[in-house]
Amino acid sequence: MKRPIILMCTLLLPTVLLAQVPTKDKQKEHQIRSMEQGHWDFSPDWWYYFLHKNYSGAYTKWEWHGLKSGLRVHFDESRSNVKTVGPRREAQLATLLLKQKIVETERKKIEELNKEEIARAADRNVDLMYGKYQDLFSDMQSSITEGLTYCLIKSKGKIAKSVRTLTERNEVITSNIAYLRKTGVGYELENVKREKGFVQAKKDMEELVKKVASLARLAKAYY
């Protein structure tokens, strides 16, 4: 039983050793280097000249070397119908790097936009402006209410129509203010826009205070 095993190992040993011994094929080395980015050269030269001239760009040139003068085969990449892949790979790499740069730039833009949107969302959820106008609005509302009440009492209801008109106008102004103060989903309003609205409400309310004062003077004069 041992003899067949020993015999089999003896037969396989040279194959294993040959598989482990590195070999160097000059012809393949020239071809691979030429096609990659190395020196444009092929071997054997006459074989490529006769059988693969278009591929290798082979051509002959007379060279003087004394007794060894004669035609020599040269290879020119510009005569070949194929080129080295190195430059194309370099161009592809440059294109890839450019694309990566563009993608990274766009990613940063989107990231900044997201940050801005988060900041705006936070800003919309807190009314930071009403405090600046709260006392002023409260004082003017007191003046409007007291003035309209005085007009009704003084005229004994005879100018109720004018009082109702001014009251409705006041309700519109206060409703606008209440809307500006609302926050949360459905009320996407930044504080900058809120402040503009409060400034306009202040002007409207000041105008209404003047009208109420004029009506109160009228009631005092005629009733």
Side-chain angles (χ1 to χ4, degrees):
M1 182 66 181
K2 293 182 179 180
R3 275 187 172 183
I5 295 175
I6 294 171
L7 181 61
M8 186 178 296
C9 291
T10 303
L11 292 173
L12 291 175
L13 183 60
T15 305
V16 174
L17 290 175
L18 286 173
Q20 293 179 347
V21 175
T23 59
K24 189 169 184 180
D25 190 330
K26 199 70 176 177
Q27 298 176 8
K28 288 184 179 178
E29 179 188 354
H30 283 186
Q31 184 180 22
I32 293 171
R33 288 182 60 196
S34 297
M35 294 311 298
E36 285 292 333
Q37 57 186 9
H39 179 65
W40 189 263
D41 190 19
F42 296 90
S43 178
D45 48 9
W46 285 105
W47 186 79
Y48 275 94
Y49 175 77
F50 286 112
L51 298 179
H52 298 286
K53 184 183 293 186
N54 292 335
Y55 169 82
S56 64
Y59 68 98
T60 57
K61 181 180 178 182
W62 186 273
E63 292 185 359
W64 295 95
H65 295 286
L67 296 176
K68 294 183 179 180
S69 299
L71 288 174
R72 298 287 190 273
V73 177
H74 296 271
F75 300 98
D76 186 357
E77 183 182 353
S78 62
R79 296 171 182 255
S80 171
N81 57 10
V82 296
K83 308 298 179 186
T84 56
V85 298
R88 292 198 296 273
R89 286 179 178 174
E90 290 174 1
Q92 290 171 354
L93 179 60
T95 302
L96 178 61
L97 291 175
L98 179 60
K99 288 181 179 179
Q100 288 178 343
K101 185 177 181 181
I102 293 172
V103 170
E104 181 63 19
T105 301
E106 291 301 318
R107 185 192 67 78
K108 288 181 179 179
K109 287 182 180 179
I110 293 173
E111 191 176 71
E112 290 298 322
L113 289 174
N114 286 337
K115 288 180 180 178
E116 290 178 7
E117 182 56 33
I118 291 172
R120 283 197 295 267
D123 186 56
R124 290 192 291 265
N125 288 327
V126 181
D127 180 7
L128 302 175
M129 296 294 109
Y130 184 71
K132 294 172 60 176
Y133 302 91
Q134 184 175 5
D135 293 340
L136 181 61
F137 286 161
S138 180
D139 292 341
M140 286 193 289
Q141 281 299 304
S142 295
S143 298
I144 291 169
T145 302
E146 291 174 3
L148 293 177
T149 301
Y150 172 82
C151 291
L152 283 175
I153 294 173
K154 186 68 176 177
S155 67
K156 296 180 182 180
K158 293 180 181 179
I159 55 174
K161 184 177 180 180
S162 297
V163 171
R164 185 165 59 251
T165 300
L166 296 179
T167 300
E168 290 173 353
R169 176 58 183 159
N170 189 48
E171 288 176 353
V172 171
I173 295 172
T174 54
S175 295
N176 289 339
I177 293 173
Y179 176 80
L180 292 171
R181 295 192 62 193
K182 287 183 178 181
T183 59
V185 179
Y187 301 99
E188 282 70 24
L189 195 64
E190 290 84 4
N191 280 294
V192 173
K193 294 180 180 179
R194 282 196 185 98
E195 184 165 27
K196 289 181 180 179
F198 288 142
V199 169
Q200 184 60 49
K202 175 177 171 291
K203 291 180 180 179
D204 295 340
M205 201 175 293
E206 287 173 343
E207 185 65 27
L208 183 59
V209 168
K210 292 178 182 178
K211 290 181 178 180
V212 171
S214 296
L215 187 63
R217 286 193 295 269
L218 180 65
K220 182 179 181 180
Y222 288 95
Y223 301 102

